[in-house]
Amino acid sequence: MTTPDITLYTAGTPNGVKVSIVLEELGIPYKVKEISFKDEEQKQPWFLKINPNGKIPAITDHSRGDFNVFESGAIMIYLCEHYDPEGKLLPKDPDSRSQVIQWIMFQMGGIGPMQGQAGHFNNYAPEEIPYAIKRYTEETKRLYSVLNNALEGKEYLVDNKFTLADAISFPWVRAHFLTGISSIDEFPNLKTWIERIYARPAVKKGLNVPTPDKVQEFTEHPEKLDEFVKNARGFFKFTSTDKK
Amino acid sequence: MTTPDITLYTGVSKNGVKASIVLEELGIPYKVKHISFKDKEQHEPWYLKINPGGKIPAITDGDFHVFESAAIGIYLCENYDPEGKLLPKDPKLKSQVIQWVMFEASGLGPAQAQAIYFAAYSQEKVPQAIERFVNLTKEYYYVLNNALEGKEYLVGNKFTLADSMCYPWVRSHFIIGIQSIDEYTNLTSWIARIDARPATQKGLNVPIPDKIKEFRENPEKLQEHIKYVQSFIK
């Protein structure tokens, strides 16, 4: 196993912390380059060479010929395949490995996009569109119920241990109230699962990269959330899909 | 390599053909169970045991279940693609394929699926949502087009999962009102190149004959299909 030398390009979003959590959990040393959305750094030519899709997170693995990886799911799998020899986060057993990858895709194709749209239409869209708000809020809750059922009688999703399957959905589910889903009381397994994961020291470290964890701050001080959305709305208006 | 014992649970959707294309390209024998959306079969308890997410596709391989189209593609390749035809064995190429697979799963697929929903099936016409998701889709087409510059395929200059996951969406561009993709010259030739693959074409005709060409040539047929789906979709 080569000695890792990783640069993580990231920002304070659920997708960014997915990767910093994995890096911390595996004890992989890494440098952080914070990407500024305000300055549209993610669309700059130098960054597009690393991630042609112009989003965070992305990594460069300098110990493997400056190899670039984009998409959080792909980064998490890459890090485990090269730097997780014990199969701590991505089991070596083929069936367990597949089950972890299935739950990774459940987040990548489901929770992420649907909760992302719930956040957009609840907080950032220029006009309030009840039809869209309802659609994405309900679908996100349906996806939460799938996770909640899958955790019945279990502490974690696969092999009853913390794996990428949990690490990938955790940042999104804990941020539910930032995307218009004010409570997850109806999903008791999810609540205990979130507490269980938050208690992991490496997870806490990863959540505070590149900036202090806002979700925890807003959980403790709800009045700061309105301030955040007010400021973010002005800035998010300048992404290309909202340009008029 | 164990002997596959695959049943594919699929329906009329771009996500379904992603799985049948891989099965055909790898020459893996499989049974098909056509899940009826009209009868909401995907929500029935027996199916939720196979796919707790309540969607298609899913496969069973003997007693082992796999849900999510990308997880199915990766599973089939890791177990039944010893030559690394669709998922290369070389670690760098393998990662690059998985990066594009994730790009489709998290970006292109969801954007175009929502565009299709609002353009064709939603019970209310929401112009802002149509515009949002069509624009998002176009951004992803632009990224793909750039990535194909000077190349025939996305990774390792050969057809892989990276191409097979994105292809079903891009070929259906006209359903969301993107009448032509001529401006994306690389995408146009890439589509034509994949259209010519017999195994991919076989996979497109599962569980029923592929209607995309017919819909493009006969807009009334597309409208008929839309009305039919509207009768049972939420």
Side-chain angles (χ1 to χ4, degrees):
Chain A
M1 190 173 95
T2 44
T3 311
D5 179 12
I6 310 268
T7 297
L8 168 65
Y9 310 89
T10 189
T13 80
N15 291 318
V17 299
K18 285 181 206 168
V19 175
S20 41
I21 283 173
V22 171
L23 287 162
E24 294 291 342
E25 283 279 342
L26 294 179
I28 299 170
Y30 61 105
K31 297 184 276 282
V32 176
K33 163 75 180 121
E34 184 179 352
I35 297 295
S36 162
F37 294 151
K38 214 148 160 268
D39 303 328
E40 289 210 306
E41 239 187 319
Q42 74 278 20
K43 304 295 179 196
Q44 306 267 326
W46 74 267
F47 186 72
L48 291 175
K49 286 199 182 82
I50 294 163
N51 183 356
N53 199 22
K55 296 183 178 214
I56 66 93
I59 64 166
T60 304
D61 188 347
H62 307 290
S63 67
R64 300 179 70 88
D66 284 348
F67 186 68
N68 296 326
V69 189
F70 68 97
E71 289 294 323
S72 58
I75 297 169
M76 294 163 92
I77 290 173
Y78 174 89
L79 291 173
C80 287
E81 289 191 337
H82 293 286
Y83 305 115
D84 182 15
E86 293 160 35
K88 183 182 147 179
L89 295 187
L90 184 58
K92 299 300 182 192
D93 171 74
D95 286 357
S96 298
R97 172 189 164 86
S98 172
Q99 286 172 339
V100 170
I101 291 176
Q102 292 175 51
W103 287 112
I104 286 175
M105 299 320 304
F106 176 82
Q107 191 285 323
M108 291 293 284
I111 291 192
M114 294 297 103
Q115 191 174 336
Q117 293 312 313
H120 172 80
F121 286 105
N122 270 292
N123 298 330
Y124 303 127
E127 295 169 53
E128 192 178 318
I129 305 173
Y131 188 90
I133 291 173
K134 182 169 185 276
R135 173 176 172 76
Y136 295 108
T137 307
E138 283 184 1
E139 175 60 5
T140 303
K141 283 183 162 180
R142 187 192 74 83
L143 293 168
Y144 282 8
S145 75
V146 172
L147 267 186
N148 192 65
N149 289 343
L151 285 165
E152 188 61 34
K154 292 156 72 169
E155 295 206 330
Y156 298 103
L157 285 164
V158 179
D159 286 353
N160 226 19
K161 65 169 194 164
F162 181 73
T163 64
L164 293 185
D166 311 284
I168 200 166
S169 284
F170 164 77
W172 278 91
V173 179
R174 77 187 283 265
H176 60 89
F177 62 95
L178 286 175
T179 55
I181 296 138
S182 52
S183 162
I184 55 169
D185 286 348
E186 64 192 284
F187 308 114
N189 297 332
L190 279 190
K191 288 184 80 169
T192 49
W193 173 76
I194 287 180
E195 282 159 26
R196 191 174 295 126
I197 297 172
Y198 188 68
R200 298 175 70 90
V203 165
K204 271 204 194 69
K205 283 187 81 179
L207 285 173
N208 285 289
V209 173
T211 50
D213 173 28
K214 283 226 156 19
V215 172
Q216 195 56 24
E217 189 188 342
F218 295 150
T219 304
E220 288 160 12
H221 304 280
E223 71 282 1
K224 294 198 171 176
L225 175 55
D226 286 336
E227 194 64 30
F228 172 77
V229 172
K230 205 168 65 167
N231 291 329
R233 191 185 287 271
F235 138 67
F236 268 107
K237 262 200 162 52
F238 295 113
T239 60
S240 57
T241 50
D242 290 329
K243 276 196 181 101
K244 290 289 172 222
Chain B
M1 192 170 94
T2 47
T3 312
D5 176 20
I6 309 272
T7 299
L8 169 66
Y9 305 83
T10 189
V12 181
S13 118
K14 325 269 165 303
N15 294 309
V17 298
K18 288 187 228 161
S20 42
I21 284 172
V22 173
L23 287 160
E24 293 291 342
E25 285 280 347
L26 294 180
I28 301 171
Y30 61 104
K31 297 187 276 285
V32 177
K33 166 71 178 124
H34 182 169
I35 298 294
S36 163
F37 296 146
K38 189 158 177 282
D39 302 328
K40 302 210 185 326
E41 245 186 313
Q42 72 276 22
H43 296 152
E44 290 187 10
W46 73 267
Y47 185 72
L48 291 174
K49 287 200 181 78
I50 293 166
N51 182 355
K55 296 190 172 206
I56 66 93
I59 63 167
T60 50
D61 186 0
D63 292 331
F64 189 68
H65 306 161
V66 189
F67 67 99
E68 291 295 326
S69 58
I72 292 169
I74 291 170
Y75 173 87
L76 290 172
C77 288
E78 289 189 340
N79 287 284
Y80 304 115
D81 182 15
E83 292 161 34
K85 184 180 149 182
L86 293 188
L87 186 60
K89 301 301 182 193
D90 172 75
K92 285 192 174 171
L93 293 176
K94 179 177 180 184
S95 173
Q96 285 171 340
V97 170
I98 290 178
Q99 291 175 50
W100 286 109
V101 166
M102 295 291 174
F103 166 87
E104 184 278 321
S106 73
L108 172 62
Q112 192 163 338
Q114 296 316 303
I116 291 173
Y117 175 79
F118 281 105
Y121 302 132
S122 64
Q123 282 153 2
E124 272 179 42
K125 269 291 160 257
V126 188
Q128 307 96 318
I130 298 174
E131 190 189 346
R132 169 175 174 75
F133 293 114
V134 170
N135 283 345
L136 270 174
T137 303
K138 282 181 174 172
E139 287 182 15
Y140 290 121
Y141 283 7
Y142 179 74
V143 170
L144 270 180
N145 193 63
N146 285 349
L148 285 165
E149 187 62 31
K151 293 155 71 173
E152 295 204 331
Y153 298 102
L154 284 164
V155 178
N157 228 17
K158 65 168 191 165
F159 180 77
T160 66
L161 286 184
D163 309 285
S164 69
M165 301 293 278
C166 296
Y167 164 78
W169 294 105
V170 183
R171 73 190 288 264
S172 311
H173 56 87
F174 61 96
I175 296 181
I176 57 171
I178 301 172
Q179 283 311 119
S180 160
I181 53 168
D182 288 351
E183 66 184 283
Y184 308 106
T185 46
N186 300 325
L187 278 189
T188 305
S189 46
W190 173 77
I191 292 277
R193 199 170 288 130
I194 302 175
D195 280 347
R197 297 180 69 89
T200 291
Q201 295 311 304
K202 279 189 83 180
L204 285 174
N205 288 296
V206 173
I208 61 170
D210 170 53
K211 296 226 171 1
I212 289 297
K213 283 207 179 72
E214 186 186 13
F215 288 163
R216 190 165 51 217
E217 280 143 27
N218 290 304
E220 328 84 62
K221 293 279 182 193
L222 175 58
Q223 290 312 312
E224 258 173 52
H225 175 75
I226 287 172
K227 278 201 180 57
Y228 166 71
V229 173
Q230 277 173 340
S231 71
F232 59 81
I233 201 172
K234 201 162 61 120

